[in-house]
Amino acid sequence: MQKQALISVSDKSNLLEFAKFLVEQDYKILSTGGTYKHLQDNGIEVTEVKDVTGFPEILDGRVKSLHPAIHGGIMARRSDENHMATIAEHGINPIDIVIVNLYPFFEKMNTGLSEAEMIEFIDIGGPSMLRSSAKNFYDVTVVTDVNDYEVVMNEIRENGSTSIETRKLCAGKVFNLTSAYDAAISTYILGEDFPQFLESSYEKVMDLRYGENPHQKAAYYVDKTKNGAMKDFEYLQGKELSFNNIRDMDLAYKVVSEFEEITCCAVKHSTPCGVAIGDNILEAYEKAYECDPMSIFGGIIAFNREVDGKTAVELNKIFLEIVIAPSFTEEALEIFKQKKNLRIIKVKNPVSDKVTYVKVDGGLIVQSTDNQFSTDLKVVTEAQPTDRQMTDLVFAQKIVKWVKSNAIVVATNGQAYGIGGGQTNRIWAAQQAIARAKEKVEEDLVLASDAFFPFRDVADFAAENGIKAIIQPGGSIKDQESIDACNEREIPMVFTGMRHFMH
C-alpha cells in the first residue's frame, strides 16, 4: 500500500523541498486549500483532501479536514488488527506523515484586528490533526516545526522511515505548541489578568550563556500574546546575553520609562545605582554616573532617548556590559564598535507589563504591576516644600519604587546621589543612602522612602544629616512621631498614601 503524507501549512518555508522529497520516496501527498494550490502551482503531484473524504470544503473553509477518512487514517494503530480491519472496511488508507502548522493567531495578536477578524485566525482543523497524529506517534510522524524537515528527510533517506525517538520528540512538540496556542486564544477571549487556570504562551528565542551563576542553565522566552520592551529588541552588537543581563536590562529600561524628561539609569545587580535627568543625553549620563562611579563599572546603562556620538565616547571610557536605548545614531554605533563585547540593545516596544509573576516552590504568585503613583500628595508638616523640593521629591519617588525594599533614595536637582536598598532595617537603608549622597553634595538634598517610617529614627537621622524635605507613604501608627521630628527641625514632609515595596 502506498504511504500517504498530509500537508496543510500556513508557514510554507522550505516546504517544496520536503514535499518533492516525499514524492520521490513514493508518498502520496494529500493537501487542503492554499497549501494544495501552492504545491500544485509548483508542479508537485498532490491530491485534494475533498477527493479523499468525498465531501467538499464548506463554511468558507472552516470545515475541510474534520472527517473520519482523515482522522481514521491518522489514528488507526497499525499493530491493532481490529483497527486496521475497520479502516479497510470503510475504504480508509493510513496516513503516515502529517505536516501541519497553524493559522497565525500569535502573529495577529496586538495588530489592531477586530474581534471578528481575530476569530477567523483560530485554527480548528490544524490542532485536531496535530493532536490525532501526536497521540498515535508509535505509527505516525507528525511535523509542525519547520526545523524538523531536514531531520525527517535524513532518517527516511537512511532508514526508510523515522525512528520512534524522533516521532516521540515531534509529538511532544505538538502538545507544547497546541497548549501555547490554546492559551493565547484563551487569553485573548477571556481578557482577564487572573483567570481560573493560569495559561502561558511563551516561545524560546535564545539559549542564554548561563543563569545567575555559570553552573546554571538558562533560556529566554518571549510572550506570544503581548508586546513589551524586552520583546523583539534589536541586538546591534556584542557577546551573548546572560540571565542577569536580561533582568538588569528590563529594570533599567523600566526606570527611564518612568520619566518624560531625558533620563539615564545605571543598574548593577538588579538595582539602580544611578539615575538622573538632563537637558541632553550626555548630561543625563554624566549625572547618573556621578551617583556611584564605582558600582556603575560593569553595569547596564539605559536611556529613554537616542544615544549620540558624544555620549558614546564617554560610555566607552569605562567597562560596561550593556547600553540599551530606543535608538542610536550611526556615529554612536561606529564608536561602540571599538568595544566588540559591549552589547548594544535597541528597544522597539514600550514598557507594557500589566502583571508580574514570582515563582515559588510548587506555585506561582501573580500580581498586577506596580505602575501607579499617588496624585493625592499631602503636606503633613508645618513647613511647606518649595516648588523645587516638590519636584525633586517626586523625582526621587519614581526611583525608589525600583529599589529593593527597604529602600531610600536621596536626590537633588533631578539627580540621585544616594541609593540605599535591600536592607532589613529602614534606618540602615537611610544611613546608607544619606552617607553616599553626602560624599558628593551637602545642599538641598531630599529623601524618598518606599514605605512608611515605623519609628521617628529615620526622620531624626535625616534631619540631623542635612536632608531638607521628605516624601513617604505614611500609614504608621507612629506617624505623628515622625511628623513631630520634622516639625522640630522645620523640615517639610509629604505623605503619598501609596507604598511601593519591591522585594
Side-chain angles (χ1 to χ4, degrees):
M1 183 182 300
Q2 185 179 21
K3 292 184 177 181
Q4 295 193 113
L6 190 155
I7 305 176
S8 179
V9 296
S10 58
D11 179 1
K12 296 177 175 57
S13 305
N14 302 325
L15 178 63
L16 295 178
E17 179 188 0
F18 195 12
K20 288 176 182 177
F21 170 81
L22 292 173
V23 170
E24 290 169 0
Q25 297 294 317
D26 199 31
Y27 279 81
K28 179 180 180 180
I29 305 295
L30 313 178
S31 193
T32 61
T35 306
Y36 168 80
K37 186 175 187 304
H38 179 69
L39 295 173
Q40 191 179 53
D41 289 348
N42 284 275
I44 295 173
E45 186 177 348
V46 57
T47 299
E48 200 163 4
V49 161
K50 68 178 183 180
D51 295 330
V52 175
T53 64
F55 202 92
E57 294 183 12
I58 62 171
L59 307 180
D60 300 319
R62 282 188 168 197
V63 178
K64 48 196 173 194
S65 61
L66 297 170
H67 193 281
I70 298 301
H71 287 270
I74 294 172
M75 292 288 286
R77 292 199 298 264
R78 308 317 193 247
S79 60
D80 189 315
E81 293 182 1
N82 290 331
H83 278 206
M84 299 309 290
T86 297
I87 64 171
E89 178 185 350
H90 294 282
I92 299 172
N93 292 323
I95 296 174
D96 305 281
I97 296 179
V98 174
I99 305 158
V100 171
N101 49 58
L102 306 177
Y103 292 170
F105 189 88
F106 289 135
E107 293 77 5
K108 297 301 179 180
M109 293 188 74
N110 305 304
T111 60
L113 294 181
S114 68
E115 182 178 284
E117 291 171 316
M118 281 301 300
I119 286 172
E120 293 309 312
F121 285 101
I122 298 175
D123 202 330
I124 301 300
S128 298
M129 287 188 289
L130 286 175
R131 291 173 64 86
S132 294
S133 308
K135 179 175 180 176
N136 202 27
F137 69 85
Y138 284 151
D139 297 307
V140 178
T141 303
V142 57
V143 186
T144 191
D145 184 349
V146 172
N147 295 316
D148 288 330
Y149 289 177
E150 191 70 30
V151 174
V152 172
M153 287 192 292
N154 286 339
E155 290 196 3
I156 293 175
R157 188 180 291 116
E158 294 174 10
N159 305 312
S161 64
T162 56
S163 66
I164 182 60
E165 291 80 12
T166 293
R167 294 197 296 275
K168 185 175 181 179
L169 175 64
C170 289
K173 287 187 176 184
V174 163
F175 291 113
N176 188 244
L177 170 64
T178 56
S179 63
Y181 192 80
D182 287 344
I185 296 168
S186 170
T187 297
Y188 175 80
I189 294 176
L190 278 176
E192 296 180 2
D193 291 336
F194 306 105
Q196 181 65 33
F197 298 97
L198 185 62
E199 306 139 327
S200 62
S201 297
Y202 287 84
E203 180 180 20
K204 186 169 77 170
V205 292
M206 67 176 79
D207 289 310
L208 302 177
R209 295 173 65 215
Y210 49 79
E212 286 186 287
N213 299 290
H215 63 274
Q216 293 173 268
K217 295 181 179 179
Y220 182 48
Y221 294 77
V222 297
D223 194 331
K224 295 292 287 182
T225 66
K226 301 177 183 68
N227 290 326
M230 293 301 102
K231 181 182 178 182
D232 300 327
F233 58 76
E234 190 171 349
Y235 205 110
L236 300 180
Q237 76 163 52
K239 59 185 179 181
E240 295 176 338
L241 290 168
S242 71
F243 179 97
N244 294 331
N245 292 154
I246 294 178
R247 286 188 67 186
D248 288 350
M249 282 165 47
D250 179 58
L251 176 64
Y253 202 73
K254 283 176 177 173
V255 173
V256 297
S257 296
E258 294 283 3
F259 298 91
E260 294 181 1
E261 303 93 337
I262 298 170
T263 307
C264 173
C265 173
V267 165
K268 188 69 172 291
H269 293 305
S270 202
T271 195
C273 62
V275 183
I277 59 176
D279 291 333
N280 55 66
I281 203 78
L282 178 57
E283 181 187 11
Y285 165 68
E286 290 173 336
K287 290 168 69 176
Y289 176 85
E290 187 179 3
C291 179
D292 191 348
M294 182 176 293
S295 296
I296 204 171
F297 183 86
I300 280 76
I301 301 291
F303 297 95
N304 62 359
R305 297 291 197 283
E306 183 174 73
V307 176
D308 57 24
K310 288 182 179 179
T311 307
V313 169
E314 293 303 310
L315 291 166
N316 267 6
K317 290 180 179 179
I318 64 170
F319 168 62
L320 295 170
E321 291 280 359
I322 298 171
V323 179
I324 180 169
S327 61
F328 299 84
T329 66
E330 289 299 322
E331 181 185 9
L333 292 176
E334 284 299 314
I335 293 167
F336 286 136
K337 286 179 181 179
Q338 298 169 16
K339 292 196 170 185
K340 63 180 182 180
N341 287 332
L342 175 63
R343 304 168 183 87
I344 304 299
I345 306 295
K346 178 181 177 180
V347 178
K348 297 182 178 180
N349 301 320
V351 170
S352 60
D353 275 344
K354 292 184 179 179
V355 293
T356 57
Y357 307 89
V358 176
K359 180 71 175 69
V360 296
D361 198 4
L364 200 66
I365 306 169
V366 184
Q367 66 174 345
S368 58
T369 301
D370 183 6
N371 57 9
Q372 300 179 50
F373 286 103
S374 173
T375 57
D376 185 21
L377 305 181
K378 295 180 179 178
V379 180
V380 295
T381 51
E382 296 167 2
Q384 299 289 312
T386 64
D387 289 345
R388 174 177 170 180
Q389 286 173 338
M390 185 60 82
T391 298
D392 279 334
L393 289 170
V394 172
F395 167 79
Q397 183 196 30
K398 289 183 177 181
I399 300 169
V400 81
K401 186 184 84 169
W402 296 104
V403 180
K404 297 290 185 182
S405 298
N406 288 309
I408 298 289
V409 169
V410 176
T412 187
N413 196 29
Q415 182 175 357
Y417 279 100
I419 299 174
Q423 300 296 327
T424 55
N425 187 309
R426 187 159 299 279
I427 186 65
W428 294 345
Q431 291 168 346
Q432 184 183 67
I434 293 171
R436 289 179 175 177
K438 290 184 69 177
E439 291 174 358
K440 310 170 196 71
V441 65
E442 295 278 351
E443 302 297 323
D444 302 319
L445 292 171
V446 304
L447 180 149
S449 174
D450 66 334
F452 64 59
F453 298 164
F455 309 102
R456 62 176 285 166
D457 53 359
V458 174
D460 283 326
F461 185 80
E464 291 164 2
N465 286 273
I467 297 298
K468 301 302 183 184
I470 295 171
I471 190 168
Q472 59 133 321
S476 168
I477 60 174
K478 295 187 177 183
D479 273 347
Q480 191 57 50
E481 292 185 10
S482 294
I483 294 170
D484 291 342
C486 290
N487 282 334
E488 289 167 13
R489 295 169 175 82
E490 300 181 347
I491 294 175
M493 183 160 63
V494 179
F495 280 5
T496 68
M498 183 176 290
R499 189 181 73 184
H500 291 289
F501 271 157
M502 181 179 172
H503 285 297

